[in-house]
Amino acid sequence: MNHLHQVMRQIFIQTLHKEPYPFQELIMEEYDYPRRIVKKSRQTGCSTTYALIALVKAVLLGRDVLVVSPSERQSIHFMTYIKKFLVTLKQLIPELIVDKDNSTELSFSSGGTIKSLPNQPNTIRGMACSDLVLDEFGHFLLDSDRDIVEAILPSMTRGISVTFISTPYGERGLFYSMCCDEPNNVIEARYTECRDVDIEPIRRSMDEMSFRQEYLLEFVGEADSYFPYELIHSCVQEDVKMVTSW
């Protein structure tokens, strides 16, 4: 176990009060893998683990980490994971200075930064980083997965560390293609390795197709779906806010 892995493991346990799952240990051990594809069941803590890795890289290695999520809500949620670990890291490093702290960005006296943004190619285009995390990449809608990759392609060709994380979402999109074409780069994070997940209530509450994709890591084809995926995508708006009047 290398030094940074030990540090991450200590922060993980101290913050979450539990031991990492086996695949979380592997992810932390291979924290600087140049290109990683994480195919995961829901509620397995993969995004949480990469939030910790992003923080450690920014603070201890002075790296510039960019995280891109399907929506603004999810990008802000990812940042809340990071800030939870930051509380623990400040206890371990009392002299740590946070120069900037808001819902989308953290910067540190060490020179490292973290930006957590929604998948808007015009915003991301040309943004420099040393580490890139694309969270729930399979759920980037309406070909925005391709638009995002095109927008950050110049950075990707400079040898940065890139991680694609997602549950499966149909036999479509770049995440599906990557999982098929790059099996040596894929880590599978299955709920069966999660000691504290009670799957039966979840199984009873979901239809078979959704359970197969979101927990059994299957890419379900359109033949198994009531509606084509592109039709479903065209009806989705990620950041709609509900307003209730009484």
Side-chain angles (χ1 to χ4, degrees), residues 2-34:
N2 60 55
H3 174 65
L4 277 186
H5 182 188
Q6 289 178 324
V7 171
M8 285 187 277
R9 196 175 195 282
Q10 179 182 353
I11 297 170
F12 185 102
I13 295 171
Q14 192 169 325
T15 304
L16 302 179
H17 309 292
K18 63 178 183 178
E19 295 277 333
Y21 302 134
F23 54 81
Q24 290 174 317
E25 289 280 17
L26 177 60
I27 288 169
M28 287 189 287
E29 182 181 357
E30 298 183 347
Y31 65 90
D32 220 15
Y33 203 85

Side-chain angles (χ1 to χ4, degrees), residues 38-230:
V38 181
K39 184 169 65 167
K40 68 182 186 70
S41 304
R42 287 180 60 185
Q43 299 176 315
T44 48
C46 289
S47 297
T48 302
T49 309
Y50 275 101
L52 172 57
I53 292 172
L55 178 63
V56 169
K57 283 184 172 182
V59 173
L60 299 184
L61 300 180
R63 306 269 276 268
D64 296 313
V65 184
L66 174 61
V67 181
V68 183
S69 302
S71 68
E72 182 179 14
R73 174 185 59 81
Q74 288 164 291
S75 64
I76 292 173
H77 192 55
F78 197 102
M79 185 62 82
T80 63
Y81 293 150
I82 295 171
K83 291 182 179 181
K84 183 180 293 187
F85 289 119
L86 179 58
V87 172
T88 303
L89 188 57
K90 283 181 175 179
Q91 295 170 359
L92 299 176
I93 310 176
E95 66 275 18
L96 173 62
I97 298 174
V98 181
D99 294 326
K100 188 172 185 178
D101 181 351
N102 58 44
S103 61
T104 62
E105 185 174 356
L106 288 167
S107 64
F108 304 95
S109 55
S110 60
T113 63
I114 305 172
K115 292 184 176 71
S116 184
L117 302 172
N119 67 331
Q120 298 173 356
N122 290 338
T123 303
I124 305 300
R125 189 175 303 277
M127 189 172 290
C129 63
S130 56
D131 298 83
L132 174 65
V133 179
L134 297 167
D135 192 33
E136 286 297 357
F137 186 61
H139 295 259
F140 283 26
L141 303 182
L142 302 175
D143 288 330
S144 61
D145 55 348
R146 299 179 187 278
D147 294 337
I148 284 290
V149 168
E150 180 180 323
I152 50 99
L153 187 61
S155 295
M156 292 174 66
T157 58
R158 289 198 296 268
I160 68 171
S161 173
V162 185
T163 303
F164 304 87
I165 312 169
S166 192
T167 54
Y169 190 44
E171 295 177 347
R172 49 155 297 281
L174 287 181
F175 187 71
Y176 170 67
S177 301
M178 290 173 181
C179 288
C180 294
D181 298 341
E182 304 176 45
N184 292 336
N185 289 330
V186 176
I187 287 179
E188 291 190 347
R190 296 183 176 272
Y191 79 86
T192 50
E193 295 186 57
C194 304
R195 299 172 292 274
D196 50 352
V197 173
D198 183 2
I199 200 63
E200 287 309 314
I202 297 171
R203 185 190 294 270
R204 289 195 297 267
S205 68
M206 300 181 72
D207 63 81
E208 180 188 358
M209 186 186 78
S210 297
F211 185 78
R212 284 164 54 196
Q213 287 205 124
E214 297 185 18
Y215 286 90
L216 301 183
L217 305 185
E218 296 183 23
F219 289 97
V220 176
E222 289 191 351
D224 297 310
S225 176
Y226 290 112
F227 300 103
Y229 283 107
E230 293 306 317

